[in-house]
Structure formats: C-alpha cells, structure tokens
Amino acid sequence: MVSELNNRIDRRFAKLRSEGRKALVTYIVAGDGGLENTVELMHQLVASGSDLIELGVPFSDPMAEGPVIQKGHERALEQKASLRKCLELLKEFRSRDEETPVILMGYANPIEKMGAEAFADALKEAGGDGALTVDLPAEEAGPLNDLLNARELRNIFLLTPTTSDERIAQITKLASGFVYYVSLKGVTGAGHLDLDSVRDNLARIRCHTNLPLCVGFGIKDGASAKAVSADGDGAVVGSVLVAAVGDSADGAAAKDRIGGIVAEMRSALDG
Amino acid sequence: MTKPSSPIDFGAYPDARGHFGEFGGRFVSETLISALDELQEMYQRLKNDADFQAAFDYDLAHYVGRPSPLYLAERLTESAGGAKIWLKREDLNHTGAHKVNNTVGQALLAKHSGKKRVIAETGAGQHGVATATVAARLGLKCAVYMGAEDVKRQSPNVYRMKLLGAEVIPVESGSKTLKDAMNEAMRDWVTNVDDTFYIIGTVAGPHPYPQLVRDFNSIIGREARRQSLEQFGQLPDALVACVGGGSNAIGLFHPFLGDESVKMYGVEAGGDGLETGRHAAPLNDGVPGILHGNRTYLMEDEDGQIIETHSVSAGLDYPGVGPEHAWLHDIGRVDYVTANDDEALTAFRTLTRKEGIIPALESSHAVAYGLKLAATMRPDQNIVVNLSGRGDKDIFTVAAIDGIEV
C-alpha cells in the first residue's frame, strides 16, 4: 500500500473529508483558448473553488467526447497543443501552485507515442499527480498502472452504469486517487442525468472500495453538481467550462466566464 | 520481420483477449466493455452452432448469390504477359461488394441479440449500403454515419442507403472521412448501447470485431481455395487483395495462411506516392499506435495525433488497418505493398477494356499490383486477385478526373 500522503490527490480528499466538504473537479482542454492562457485559466479554476484540475490532453479522435469537448480538442490542436505542451503548461502552473492536484485526462495514443515510461517520468517531473486515460480499460492498463504506481502517481479509472459488479471489483483493485463514476450512458455533455441510477450505482461501487467517488457527465450547474455529489464525494464538470472557453472572445473573458461558473458550483456544493 | 521457425496455428488467433501478437485488444471507454463482452459471448456460442451456421450459409447462397466465380481473366493475363490472373468475383455479390458477407453475418447476430436498431460507419458507402440492405430485410432501424467529404464524393451510395430506409448522418468533425464516421458511430453506440447493435464494416475496432468480421468474410478464401483445386488443380502461387481496413484481404488470405507455398500481397493505397506522405498506407509508412479500439499500425504525427490520409478511393482512405494485418506484416507472412492513385486508375481502365468488368477503385489497387506481379512470374503459375467490388459507384470520380460531367 502506498502512503496516503505522498500524493496531492490523496491529501486533498483527506482534507475535504475532514472538513465534511465535497470535491469540485474541473476540466479544461490544454491549449483551448490559446496556449498562453491555459495556465491563467487553471489558476482561475483554483481561485474560484476547484479542488482538482483535470487538464485535457487534446487528441485528433476523442471518441468519448460530445460535440462541445470535441470542438475544444479541435481548437487546442489548432494551437499546436500536444501531450508535451500539456506537460510544460503543468510545470508552469506548478511553479505558482504547490497544492492543487492536477491529472492529465486524455487518450491512449499520445502516451503510446511518447512511451508509457517516458510519460510517467515526465508527468512526475512536471508536478502532475495522476492520469485518466479514457480508452485504456482495466484489461489494457496494467503496464501504465505499474509505472504510475512506482512513481506515487495515481491512475484514475472510469466506472459506468454498465460496469458489472465483477468488473467493479477488478477495476477498483487497480484504481487509485479517486474513482470517476460516469453518470450516464453517453458522451460528455449529454443531458439525460438520472439521479436514482447514480445513487444506486454509487452504493454498488461503495461495496468494493473506500476510494473517493466523483461523479461526472451531464453536470451543468451548481444544482446538478450538488445533486450528484449528495451520495458521492464530489462532482466533475467539463463541457460547460469548455463551452465557456470556446464562446469567449479572449483570455480575460474566458477567465471571467469560467470563474463565474466554478464559483457558483462551489457555493452550491458548500451551501 | 523474420519468419518464425515453427509453423504458426493461425486459427488460434486472436487470443482470448483479442490480441494478435502485440496488436488488437480492446481500447474503448468503460461503457462499451459490457456490450463487447456480451457480443463476444454470443459469438463464441453461435459460431459453433449448427443452426446459426446453416442460416448464414443459406443467406450467402440465396440472398448474396454465392459462391462467387473464380474467373480466368485471359485478356488481362495476356496484357501482363506472365502468370495466369484469376479474379475472385466479389463484385458479383448482391450490393456489389464483399461487404455483404459480413453484414449478413452480423445481422444474424443482431437478430439473436434482440436489438431493434443497427448502426454502421461507412467510407465509400459500400458497407453502409450492405448494412442498410440487411436492415431493410430484417425490418431493423438503421443509421449510417458517413464523413461529410465522403457524402459528397459518393452520392449514388448515399441515395441507395436512403432508398433502403436508412438514415445517413453526415459527420462534420475532424477530417470528415471514414475515421470520423467511426468515431461518431462509437459515440452513438455508447449512448444507445441497450437497444443498438453496431455493425462494424472492417476487421478493425475492439475485440471481437476483427475476429468476427474476418470469420464472416473467410467464405471468400474458402471458396477460392476449393475453386483453385477444381479449376487448375493446385493452390494458387499468389493472392492479391487491396487493404484499407483489410476485410476483403483477410477474407481471402485467412484460409490459405497455413499453406506455405501461397504468397500473399496486401495492396495499400499509395495515393500520390509513398514519398509524398499523401497516401493511406500505414503498414508501409506508419507506426504502431492505438485508435478505434485496437492497437495497430497508424498514420500519425510526432505527437501521436492521427493525420489525414489520401486516396482516390474513399474505401481505402483510412489511417489504420486491421490488427491481424499488422501482425501478419510483422511476422512476415504477408507482403504489404502499395499501388498509387495513377496505377489504380490505369488498372481500372485496363480491366474495363480487356475484360468488360468495371472494378471498384479500391479493387483496382489489387488489379494494378496483380498485373505488375504477374509480369514477373511464369505462365504456368496462378495468381488470385480479389475483385472486392464493382465500380459503378466510382464512375463519377473517374469521369471528374477525365474532365467529363456525367
């Protein structure tokens, strides 16, 4: 077992638990809205109340994303964002924020290209805390999982309404940091959140793990964030932030927009 | 790249988790795993079920029109001046291509699954038409995802799908071609996984698709093997087939893989030429990576982003290739070569004029390499070229190249 306090994710959830508060996990795509603005946007997320940042690594074929985040990836790729760039931006963020956990969320191929070991080393060196690789299910995740564990980095896995009890047991054995529960069958940004199903499935997952459970997909505002995290440990919000960045004329406007959205969610979660 | 010393049991691949050596596997988001498990379980059960096989064989005989002939192309042979060229006439199948072998099989699986809606991705439109066809026959709802660029360049097939009752959904994301259609079909499947059966059209995608699409298309090679023995008394010296995702090629090759004397050539789309970078030949000029649920050779940049491909034929315009081909390439069992756009167009015209057969532009790549190969071989040798589809759908593309408005 790894020591609980060697990783920012573990420290943050321990703190939240002791305060009786829920985690607000926020997602933006690195490079979206301009490479020069990403680090400022990350600091804004923190200033407005985000507990943990998922920095999206843009990919040419983001199979699990709805139209909003797909466009975010396309805009970021136009800015020449890449896995390497994401790691540089993370390092820059870390020079001014030593506390907020950051994970890289993306797809397997850019990691495959860099090499899993080189990626794990680079993530550690940049001050990252974990990774979530959407198209790397438990069956294929073994080698990367070992490399991350060896560096005290966390590997975040998705669980979904279609995951069987048997698989929940298998996946939670590999999982670390927290578990990301996908609230619905669909892509990011979908609109058919079913709170009863979320409650039932979180209860099912609780039987297998003590890891914090954060709920994402279909969360649009403070009310939905509060609702899904009632039975979990936190809420993940992505599409509304990516849409706000996409709709903003410049970096300053994007900063204001996402700051407002996150602050509203924070106060709903704490209220 | 060296051949292994002990014979390989090709029938034993993929392994239980869908791997062909280091290729294949199941790289999808968690939501789809249970649907893939369900499909795999159902397929393992049905593939050895006599009733299921009988139903499949019946459909192939009476609906598809099999067996397809193995035709000695005498004037084509004469023009190459070497080995005899035999054409495996998949172009004569119902709907005009090999794709229907697979959609008939998957439709039977869909029927067994009880799901009332099928979806598909399509490039040239052949797989979309073949899916819309079996959906019409079984009374299933059908949606076909097609890149917006392909919708433009393959309008006859778009209309055929609509006539058959399918909804054709143009995909505007990414490069607006086959790979993006596949992304969008996956997104649909994730959303509607409870009532939707995804009919993948090629030997790519997550396990078990590469296996089941191969198995359904292997009728091509089984027939060709039997016909070769009947018609020229021996196994062919060489097989030639075009490779985009690679379903017609694996269908022809697979039943011959254990026959060491049979050489095999998979022909990738050379586009403007390998040296220009404007092509769709990942086995010749790509690297291993992960896309669309499997590990295989891909066309990508230094950051692991998938790059746009180029081919005159929409059906070969794909940056990946089936994982079994990636493996057969690495172990050296199959040679993967290329034919450029120009060579394919020349072969298209040659076959049309010499034999009265208008081939699909995809299949024209195989014909182009077959002609080249035949010229290096003896007249007592035999080559089987897979004529995977007919060219009616491509006459507008060729006419446009000729500057003619049809």
Side-chain angles (χ1 to χ4, degrees):
Chain A
M1 247 354 239
V2 285
S3 157
E4 266 216 2
L5 297 175
N6 284 342
N7 183 287
R8 291 183 192 89
I9 300 172
D10 302 343
R11 285 200 292 270
R12 178 57 53 102
F13 279 103
K15 180 166 179 278
L16 287 165
R17 236 170 222 190
S18 73
E19 294 166 356
R21 295 167 71 220
K22 305 290 186 182
L24 180 55
V25 178
T26 53
Y27 171 95
I28 57 171
V29 183
D32 183 18
L35 281 168
E36 69 286 3
N37 294 320
T38 298
V39 172
E40 276 309 306
L41 294 180
M42 291 170 77
H43 288 304
Q44 183 63 54
L45 292 172
V46 176
S48 306
S50 171
D51 292 299
L52 190 155
I53 294 173
E54 289 180 354
L55 189 58
V57 182
F59 183 48
S60 52
D61 295 81
M63 234 164 52
E65 314 298 346
V68 168
I69 294 185
Q70 283 175 48
K71 289 207 180 71
H73 281 241
E74 285 177 15
R75 290 190 299 265
L77 289 172
E78 280 163 21
Q79 299 281 325
K80 307 282 178 229
S82 63
L83 178 53
R84 262 168 232 289
K85 266 280 176 243
C86 290
L87 290 159
E88 284 170 26
L89 294 171
L90 170 52
K91 199 169 178 178
E92 196 186 328
F93 170 81
R94 199 47 90 211
S95 68
R96 274 169 52 202
D97 185 331
E98 257 301 313
E99 295 306 314
T100 307
V102 178
I103 66 172
L104 293 192
M105 178 166 181
Y107 292 79
N109 201 48
I111 296 175
E112 181 93 348
K113 183 72 177 178
M114 183 180 282
E117 185 160 9
F119 167 70
D121 282 339
L123 181 60
K124 183 76 184 174
E125 203 267 327
D129 304 288
L132 194 174
T133 311
V134 178
D135 53 349
L136 207 57
E139 288 82 350
E140 306 284 356
L144 180 62
N145 206 57
D146 293 344
L147 291 162
L148 294 174
N149 281 337
R151 289 160 183 76
E152 290 285 354
L153 296 169
R154 303 297 177 243
N155 199 9
I156 318 305
F157 282 88
L158 301 173
L159 292 177
T160 74
T162 63
T163 310
S164 66
D165 287 338
E166 192 188 345
R167 281 187 65 79
I168 292 175
Q170 179 194 353
I171 294 167
T172 49
K173 263 188 212 129
L174 290 175
S176 53
F178 67 98
V179 167
Y180 186 140
Y181 177 67
V182 175
S183 67
L184 48 80
K185 294 167 197 157
V187 292
T188 50
H192 47 282
L193 192 59
D194 174 353
L195 290 174
D196 289 339
S197 150
V198 170
R199 185 175 313 116
D200 292 349
N201 281 303
L202 289 180
R204 212 155 59 88
I205 297 166
R206 283 277 189 230
C207 300
H208 296 276
T209 184
N210 291 321
L211 285 171
L213 308 181
C214 296
V215 182
F217 283 43
I219 293 156
K220 309 222 176 295
D221 51 22
S224 48
K226 190 173 171 65
V228 294
S229 57
D231 298 285
D233 301 293
V236 188
V237 59
S239 291
V240 291
L241 296 175
V242 174
V245 172
D247 291 343
S248 297
D250 55 30
K255 218 174 138 177
D256 281 353
R257 295 275 303 271
I258 65 168
I261 294 165
V262 172
E264 191 262 336
M265 290 189 166
R266 178 81 265 166
S267 74
L269 283 180
D270 289 346
Chain B
M1 304 279 172
T2 51
K3 284 187 187 169
S5 48
S6 61
I8 296 173
D9 176 8
F10 290 96
Y13 290 83
D15 69 15
R17 284 170 49 211
H19 293 108
F20 302 89
E22 65 174 295
F23 301 103
R26 198 180 262 182
F27 296 86
V28 293
S29 58
E30 175 62 25
T31 309
L32 291 178
I33 297 282
S34 67
L36 291 168
D37 277 343
E38 199 180 294
L39 176 62
Q40 186 180 353
E41 188 276 323
M42 180 172 68
Y43 181 62
Q44 290 305 326
R45 184 162 41 82
L46 292 176
K47 83 177 178 149
N48 298 316
D49 179 282
D51 290 343
F52 180 83
Q53 277 307 329
F56 181 53
D57 292 345
Y58 181 91
D59 283 354
L60 289 181
H62 300 285
Y63 189 67
V64 176
R66 302 200 72 92
S68 68
L70 183 66
Y71 165 74
L72 175 59
E74 292 189 40
R75 298 221 314 137
L76 195 68
T77 297
E78 205 178 288
S79 76
K84 288 192 188 66
I85 300 174
W86 301 77
L87 301 176
K88 181 61 176 159
R89 297 291 308 275
E90 293 299 300
D91 60 314
L92 294 178
N93 292 338
H94 179 43
T95 72
H98 73 287
K99 292 288 186 190
V100 72
N101 301 322
N102 168 48
T103 60
V104 159
Q106 288 202 52
L108 287 173
L109 293 176
K111 202 167 131 187
H112 272 269
S113 76
K115 294 179 178 176
K116 301 289 179 218
R117 176 176 180 263
V118 295
I119 56 170
E121 82 294 338
T122 198
Q126 291 302 94
H127 175 59
V129 168
T131 302
T133 297
V134 296
R137 181 174 175 234
L138 294 179
L140 300 170
K141 229 176 131 185
C142 177
V144 178
Y145 289 91
M146 188 167 186
E149 280 298 318
D150 292 335
V151 168
K152 266 190 254 163
R153 57 181 170 172
Q154 299 288 343
S155 56
N157 271 344
V158 173
Y159 188 60
R160 286 166 84 192
M161 288 185 267
K162 287 182 180 166
L163 280 175
L164 289 159
E167 182 191 3
V168 179
I169 304 167
V171 176
E172 299 283 352
S173 58
S175 60
K176 304 178 189 182
T177 60
L178 177 55
K179 83 173 173 73
D180 309 285
M182 197 149 179
N183 290 333
E184 209 53 40
M186 286 275 184
R187 291 176 186 127
D188 180 312
W189 199 30
V190 163
T191 307
N192 301 296
V193 63
D194 291 334
D195 69 350
T196 296
F197 189 99
Y198 182 13
I199 299 186
I200 290 185
T202 192
V203 286
H207 180 60
Y209 282 102
Q211 180 185 7
L212 65 89
V213 177
R214 173 197 75 193
D215 291 353
F216 290 139
N217 270 307
S218 292
I219 185 67
I220 303 171
R222 288 200 303 276
E223 283 176 6
R225 200 170 187 286
R226 194 183 66 231
Q227 289 164 325
S228 296
L229 295 172
E230 283 167 9
Q231 292 177 236
F232 53 88
Q234 57 193 39
L235 293 176
D237 297 283
L239 308 175
V240 181
C242 65
V243 177
S247 65
N248 88 81
I250 210 77
L252 176 64
F253 295 167
H254 197 261
F256 290 94
L257 285 172
D259 299 311
E260 280 181 37
S261 67
V262 181
K263 292 198 163 119
M264 300 182 194
Y265 300 89
V267 188
E268 295 195 300
D272 290 344
L274 271 188
E275 68 288 353
T276 66
R278 285 173 49 76
H279 56 77
L283 291 171
N284 279 277
D285 191 30
V287 294
I290 294 166
L291 181 70
H292 291 153
N294 63 116
R295 181 182 275 118
T296 188
Y297 278 82
L298 299 175
M299 308 257 304
E300 60 178 41
D301 68 13
E302 66 278 10
D303 294 318
Q305 309 294 350
I306 308 306
I307 57 175
E308 283 189 35
T309 52
H310 172 80
S311 171
V312 69
S313 83
L316 301 182
D317 213 349
Y318 180 67
V321 62
E324 191 162 11
H325 287 293
W327 177 62
L328 293 171
H329 169 68
D330 269 18
I331 64 172
R333 177 63 186 95
V334 179
D335 281 329
Y336 292 90
V337 296
T338 60
N340 297 350
D341 284 356
D342 287 348
E343 296 172 307
L345 284 161
T346 301
F348 174 93
R349 295 175 207 278
T350 303
L351 182 59
T352 301
R353 290 295 177 91
K354 295 279 180 194
E355 298 288 349
I357 297 171
I358 302 177
L361 282 175
E362 290 77 13
S363 322
S364 300
H365 288 71
V367 175
Y369 190 77
L371 284 165
K372 223 193 265 183
L373 180 66
T376 69
M377 292 167 66
R378 296 187 315 270
D380 64 329
Q381 293 183 298
N382 296 285
I383 299 176
V384 172
V385 173
N386 204 10
L387 200 66
S388 56
R390 69 179 184 220
D392 308 46
K393 70 183 175 58
D394 293 315
I395 59 172
F396 302 96
T397 305
V398 176
I401 290 167
D402 286 344
I404 296 166
E405 207 172 309
V406 180

